Amino acid sequence: MPLSWLLVNATKNNGDLFGRPGFRLGAFSLFANIADLFAYQDGLFGRWLLNSLLYSVAGALASTLVSLLAGYAFAVYGFPGREKVYGLVLLGILVPPTVIALPMYLLASEAGLVNTYWAVLIPGLVNPFGVYLARVFAEAYLPAETLEAARLDGAGELRVFRSVALPMLSPAFVTIFLFTFTGSWNNFFLPLVMLNDSSLYPVGLGLYGWNAVLPQEPQLYALVVTGSLLSVVPLAVAFLTLQRHWRSGLTAGAVK
């Protein structure tokens, strides 16, 4: 229902937003709203979209790779204290992100990273839940015989991971990437704490700022609604594009 309301009301101008019931169509103004949205404040909304893509795509790719490397190491290698270290990693799942936002801000301030892209990207590299998923997938879909055969053929450990393990873990890669991408795209509190330059905002934080000034600038109502609709599109595209890879190949790691 909220998504349906958003889709209908993004097609209305300011007059129809208040003059017609929520699910009743008015004059079709979607394209005019989009044009006004990207023209407002010299195209700031477009900058927010690009920022969100940077935080979400680059951040999710890096975080997914780190999670796969860690999960692969926990699943394949035996070393003293492995389960204790793994348990310590899993404790991170129990810690709400808002609890560590202030300590991360203090660390970023000491490092001179506040109000930069790195202040949002670097904390996103750590994903305990992604490490858990990666280990589960690695234990289930990486036959020890296949890895040992690659080592006997002369492959080093990085080559084994890159050429043998990573293709087998492609369903895990897509699964972790989707979870991380969605979390990064919807990330609000960390950018709110770390950033004060509006040109660095992700789209969610930017729309929140516009929404806060609606009583003083009511002409922004149509822009906020239209921007909220457009902010959902990348998530829908990501899921529709990657769902095929997510569901396929779950038995690709079988020994032939």
Side-chain angles (χ1 to χ4, degrees), residues 72-149:
Y72 173 81
F74 281 122
V76 172
Y77 301 116
F79 52 89
R82 180 180 66 171
E83 296 305 322
K84 292 181 179 179
V85 175
Y86 182 64
L88 185 63
V89 172
L90 292 185
L91 284 177
I93 300 176
L94 305 178
V95 181
T98 52
V99 173
I100 59 175
L102 181 57
M104 284 195 297
Y105 172 81
L106 295 176
L107 289 172
S109 179
E110 289 292 329
L113 298 178
V114 171
N115 208 34
T116 67
Y117 289 112
W118 298 111
V120 179
L121 288 171
I122 292 178
L125 293 176
V126 181
N127 184 0
F129 183 66
V131 175
Y132 164 76
L133 285 180
R135 181 177 182 178
V136 170
F137 269 91
E139 289 177 340
Y141 299 116
L142 287 183
E145 297 87 349
T146 304
L147 302 180
E148 187 60 30

